Amino acid sequence: MVAAFDGEQLLAELDALGAIGWKPGAGLQRMAYSDPDLEARRWVLAQMQALGMQAWIDPAGNVIGYLPGGEALPALAIGSHTDSVPGGGKFDGALGVLAGLACVRTLRSQDVQLRHPLLLIDFAAEEATTSASPTGSLSFVGGLTQTALDGPGWDGRSTAALLADRGFDVAAMIANRPPMPIAAFLELHIEQGERLASAGVPIGVVEGIVGIRRYYVHFQGQANHAGTTDMARRRDALVMAAPFILAVRDAAVAHGIVGTVGRIEVHPNAPNVVPGRVTLDVEIRGLDDAVLDRVETILAAEAARCEGRLHFGHRKEPVLADPNLMAAIERGCKALGLRTMRLPSGAGHDAMNLAAICPYAMIFAPSEQGVSHAPEEWTQPHDCINAGRALLAALLEVDAMLDA
Ligand SMILES: [Zn+2]
């Protein structure tokens, strides 16, 4: 069955879809609800229809294709997104949607009907170019709020204003729900890191999407003349902050997570003034809440030791993948002779929203040199094809495994 998977067609479609909104020298410009984004969605809709799927666009702009199942069971859903960041690459999201089309093409060409109905979904506005992102999948699961849409979108206006301008009915987006009960969601996506490529492993099995915790740390010193203030008499807020920044890195390394000081504000930020006040943003990401708790305690203690004050910011819980679905992916890959490796996802994906309504699992394809959200983003052709075959094998495994 998987032997009939048409890899060449998948590669041709990656090129065709990748040309929509591609600007030479500037990469993919398919920001959510922009003209090229809507054109790409209509293209996906037409591909679904050409494969004999019943297909429609829901109130959020999600493109949904449907194949009936052979038994009275809830649906299996597969898919990803086709919107991009400004200056993105042609694999992020698109590979998952096109591999889904390739799976449907294989099923049709082999005259195979799954036991479960199948939904193939191209989610809208996955990238953080709109507030409430991933917006399309959040709307799909019924989690979208007006407040979230009042935040800024990529064109400077609120997301709600951008949507209204494009003819979307915001109230209908908020009232949106899945079209039918869903038993499981499988998302294929590029890794966007370099663990698979550097290990030479073709398939990643995602253990979960990491939790994110952000903190703001304030260091209060004393601004003073940089020429006349003796070194011994200074209260330099940036010097106070420096050991804390190193402590963030050390705590992350020691606990096997990632930690970043990505933004720093120095007052008054002048070359001839001793810094009087520093504010920095810290974020840590990891899969295990207990580990994040431990690092959080260390960071609070380190901030105090450096005479800083740590404040709590935004927090997102880890979203773990379903062990049975992970095992199904691994069984499917084993039968195909494809090596797999378990790994966390450091980036958010549509799957984390789907987790609110059903179990999920994700397949990662290798990203060359870990480059993503850039025009140079690249996944080797054979890796794209293998990931698509792995998706089909996993889908068949899950279809056989789940009786509800
Ligand atoms: Zn993506």
Side-chain angles (χ1 to χ4, degrees):
M1 171 72 182
V2 180
F5 186 90
D6 189 342
E8 291 306 316
Q9 177 70 18
L10 170 59
L11 298 179
E13 292 190 353
L14 272 165
D15 280 341
L17 179 59
I20 302 175
W22 183 271
K23 289 222 174 85
L28 200 58
Q29 306 285 338
R30 254 185 354 234
M31 285 75 81
Y33 307 116
S34 65
D35 286 340
D37 176 48
L38 299 180
E39 185 188 338
R41 289 176 183 285
R42 287 193 297 272
W43 184 90
V44 170
L45 180 76
Q47 306 304 311
M48 289 174 173
Q49 287 166 338
L51 288 172
M53 301 186 94
Q54 187 188 329
W56 65 95
I57 297 180
D58 81 358
N62 300 313
V63 184
I64 303 175
Y66 169 79
L67 279 185
E71 298 176 26
L73 292 168
L76 303 180
I78 57 175
S80 192
H81 65 94
T82 55
D83 64 309
S84 82
V85 296
K90 68 173 185 176
F91 299 89
D92 180 352
L95 177 61
V97 173
L98 297 178
L101 281 173
C103 289
V104 171
R105 186 174 301 113
T106 315
L107 293 170
R108 303 294 279 179
S109 73
Q110 302 303 298
D111 231 349
V112 171
Q113 184 177 34
L114 297 179
R115 297 169 62 216
H116 298 76
L118 179 68
L119 292 172
L120 167 58
I121 312 169
D122 173 8
F123 289 107
E126 191 275 340
E127 301 290 0
T129 53
T130 48
S131 56
S133 71
T135 313
S137 49
L138 190 60
S139 162
F140 181 86
V141 302
L144 193 61
T145 61
Q146 179 67 50
T147 316
L149 291 173
D150 289 339
W154 57 270
D155 70 346
R157 296 176 296 172
S158 73
T159 301
L162 169 68
L163 284 161
D165 184 55
R166 306 319 311 246
F168 284 86
D169 178 345
V170 168
M173 263 179 93
I174 291 169
N176 201 13
R177 296 292 181 273
M180 62 194 71
I182 297 175
F185 177 62
L186 297 176
E187 180 171 4
L188 160 61
H189 200 280
I190 55 167
E191 181 196 348
Q192 304 178 287
E194 57 182 337
R195 291 173 67 170
L196 291 173
S198 58
V201 174
I203 303 292
V205 179
V206 174
E207 298 168 293
I209 295 167
V210 296
I212 304 175
R213 298 189 190 185
R214 294 208 178 111
Y215 313 96
Y216 311 95
V217 190
H218 298 287
F219 297 88
Q220 186 64 54
Q222 171 72 56
N224 213 332
H225 197 295
T228 60
T229 314
D230 287 343
M231 295 305 285
R233 290 187 50 247
R234 293 184 179 201
R235 294 230 345 118
D236 183 327
L238 190 54
V239 171
M240 291 159 68
F244 177 79
I245 295 172
L246 297 176
V248 170
R249 182 203 55 191
D250 293 346
V253 169
H255 291 82
I257 64 168
V258 292
T260 308
V261 175
R263 200 184 71 90
I264 181 161
E265 241 176 69
V266 181
H267 295 271
N269 206 24
N272 57 350
V273 185
V274 176
R277 190 170 82 243
V278 164
T279 302
L280 50 82
D281 291 6
V282 186
E283 74 158 50
I284 56 174
R285 298 188 185 210
L287 260 194
D288 186 338
D289 256 332
V291 171
L292 294 174
D293 284 344
R294 276 206 293 284
V295 174
E296 182 173 291
T297 305
I298 291 170
L299 294 186
E302 287 292 332
R305 198 174 60 82
C306 301
E307 298 179 73
R309 291 179 80 139
L310 182 137
H311 304 270
F312 295 89
H314 175 77
R315 173 174 168 154
K316 234 179 190 168
E317 302 305 326
V319 187
L320 300 181
D322 181 77
N324 290 326
L325 296 178
M326 290 165 65
I329 295 170
E330 287 165 343
R331 278 197 308 278
C333 288
K334 193 167 182 201
L336 295 176
L338 293 172
R339 286 170 64 214
T340 62
M341 178 168 110
R342 292 192 172 198
L343 75 178
S345 172
H349 293 290
D350 290 306
M352 71 193 179
N353 281 334
L354 271 288
I357 60 164
C358 64
Y360 85 93
M362 288 188 75
I363 294 170
F364 271 174
S367 294
E368 281 303 298
Q369 303 189 358
V371 176
S372 184
H373 284 186
E376 297 77 25
E377 182 180 272
W378 183 255
T379 294
Q380 296 288 359
H382 63 271
D383 284 331
C384 292
I385 296 171
N386 279 334
R389 294 166 69 222
L391 177 64
L392 179 56
L395 182 62
L396 296 170
E397 287 283 340
V398 173
D399 187 51
M401 173 178 84
L402 294 182
D403 284 319

